[in-house]
């Protein structure tokens, strides 16, 4: 049966939600629970590793802020962090979470209404993560998932990135590490994918930035850049060609990976 709770949180409360997630996984396995089965709203300041390893079926909402490693190892759960309704400051101009958000996340969703620290989405392999500004070294070693930045980035963006989809608003291309990636305009498929993510971000956090973009999406989509890993693009193209030709996709992917 669905469960909803509301409670306070302090920054001494670390890895909030992890024991709960462990119980869900032990009882229901890797599939977890239906989305939204357990929905908890916290108010205050979360400590380190808020919602680490959170499995499918658990949603943790935080009205306040949190520290480093939020969503570490996220495994299907949903995390939404926004300022308290009474906060007097502009969310997109202030820090909402710390460094190394979504480190090693494999699936799930994270929506952050505000700016985060360094190493955003390092080793993300499958989660969808949104922030409204990031520090240095974002998307480092990212291999999958979707990362969306609705604001400024730091330097060394996408270092070692080999996969996944990344979209940045008003990107300063001089900050991108181009060793493995290219910067491209959005395709129609990219634009549709990105719009769906921003719609979810607005629904979870009431983001003013997201709402303004959606209000005139025809113009807003052209302000975004896609950061595309060259190897990832080659594999996607090989998959598409093999599928269209009725060939073995695995063989085509292996051939593409070998260059």
């Amino acid at each position: 049966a669905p469960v909803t709770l509301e409670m306070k949180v302090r920054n001494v409360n670390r890895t909030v939600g992890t024991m709960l997630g462990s119980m869900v996984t032990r009882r229901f396995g890797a599939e977890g629970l239906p989305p939204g089965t357990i929905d908890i709203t916290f108010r205050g300041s979360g400590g380190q590793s808020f919602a680490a390893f959170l499995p499918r079926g658990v949603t943790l909402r935080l009205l306040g802020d949190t520290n480093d490693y939020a969503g570490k190892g996220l495994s299907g759960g949903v995390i939404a962090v926004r300022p308290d309704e009474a906060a007097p400051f502009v969310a997109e101009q202030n820090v909402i979470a710390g460094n190394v958000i979504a480190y090693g996340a494999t699936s799930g969703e994270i929506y952050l209404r505000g700016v985060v620290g360094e190493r955003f989405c390092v080793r993300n392999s499958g989660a969808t993560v949104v922030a409204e500004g990031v520090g240095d070294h974002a998307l480092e070693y990212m291999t999958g998932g979707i990362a969306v930045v609705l604001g400024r980035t730091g330097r060394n963006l996408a270092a070692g990135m080999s996969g996944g989809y990344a979209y940045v608003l008003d990107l300063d291309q001089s900050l991108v590490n181009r060793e493995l990636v290219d910067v491209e305009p959005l395709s129609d498929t990219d634009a549709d994918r990105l719009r769906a993510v921003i719609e979810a971000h607005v629904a979870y956090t009431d983001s003013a930035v997201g709402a303004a973009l959606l209000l005139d999406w025809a113009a807003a989509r052209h302000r975004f850049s896609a950061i595309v890993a060259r190897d990832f693009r080659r594999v996607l193209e090989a998959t598409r060609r093999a599928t269209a030709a009725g060939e073995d996709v695995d063989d085509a992917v292996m051939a593409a990976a070998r260059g």
Side-chain angles (χ1 to χ4, degrees):
V3 176
T4 59
L5 298 169
E6 184 166 335
M7 60 187 67
K8 294 181 180 179
V9 67
R10 297 175 56 210
N11 62 4
V12 297
N13 304 133
R14 294 175 292 181
T15 61
V16 170
T18 303
M19 286 190 288
L20 168 63
S22 174
M23 293 176 67
V24 169
T25 300
R26 288 171 187 269
R27 183 171 298 185
F28 298 99
E31 289 302 311
L33 293 163
T37 302
I38 300 173
D39 195 320
I40 305 175
T41 298
F42 294 94
R43 291 181 180 271
S45 292
Q48 297 279 70
S49 300
F50 179 81
F53 311 108
L54 200 69
R56 181 175 178 268
V58 184
T59 299
L60 298 188
R61 307 170 192 267
L62 173 58
L63 281 72
D65 56 25
T66 193
N67 217 309
D68 302 334
Y69 287 101
K72 175 176 65 179
L74 184 70
S75 302
V78 178
I79 304 166
V81 186
R82 56 161 296 169
D84 186 274
E85 301 99 328
F89 54 80
V90 179
E92 61 269 26
Q93 297 176 5
N94 288 272
V95 173
I96 193 76
N99 300 310
V100 205
I101 305 300
Y103 175 80
T106 60
S107 58
E109 304 164 54
I110 303 177
Y111 303 102
L112 305 165
R113 184 182 175 185
V115 180
V116 303
E118 298 185 354
R119 292 196 153 87
F120 170 76
C121 279
V122 171
R123 297 192 183 279
N124 176 30
S125 64
T128 296
V129 192
V130 183
E132 298 183 350
V134 300
D136 297 341
H137 315 297
L139 318 182
E140 194 174 33
Y141 306 123
M142 182 168 150
T143 62
I146 303 172
V148 177
V149 182
L150 303 179
R152 298 174 62 183
T153 74
R155 62 187 176 86
N156 200 33
L157 183 66
M161 177 182 170
S162 60
Y165 302 94
Y167 307 110
V168 183
L169 180 67
D170 298 331
L171 174 65
D172 180 348
Q173 296 193 24
S174 69
L175 299 173
V176 179
N177 183 324
R178 294 175 180 265
E179 185 175 358
L180 298 178
V181 304
D182 295 319
V183 178
E184 300 176 351
L186 266 61
S187 66
D188 289 341
T189 301
D190 285 324
D192 291 342
R193 181 185 298 117
L194 175 60
R195 180 172 185 169
V197 172
I198 295 175
E199 286 173 345
H201 179 61
V202 172
Y204 275 104
T205 70
D206 199 26
S207 166
V209 173
L213 292 168
L214 294 173
L215 195 61
D216 187 4
W217 181 247
R221 60 169 286 181
H222 298 292
R223 296 173 56 193
F224 283 91
S225 298
I227 299 176
V228 184
R230 287 188 284 274
D231 287 346
F232 184 63
R233 177 174 54 200
R234 189 160 57 242
V235 166
L236 290 177
E237 291 174 350
T239 299
R240 178 182 54 79
R241 289 196 301 268
T243 300
E247 300 172 351
D248 187 282
V249 172
D250 290 340
D251 289 345
V253 168
M254 290 303 295
R258 290 192 293 268

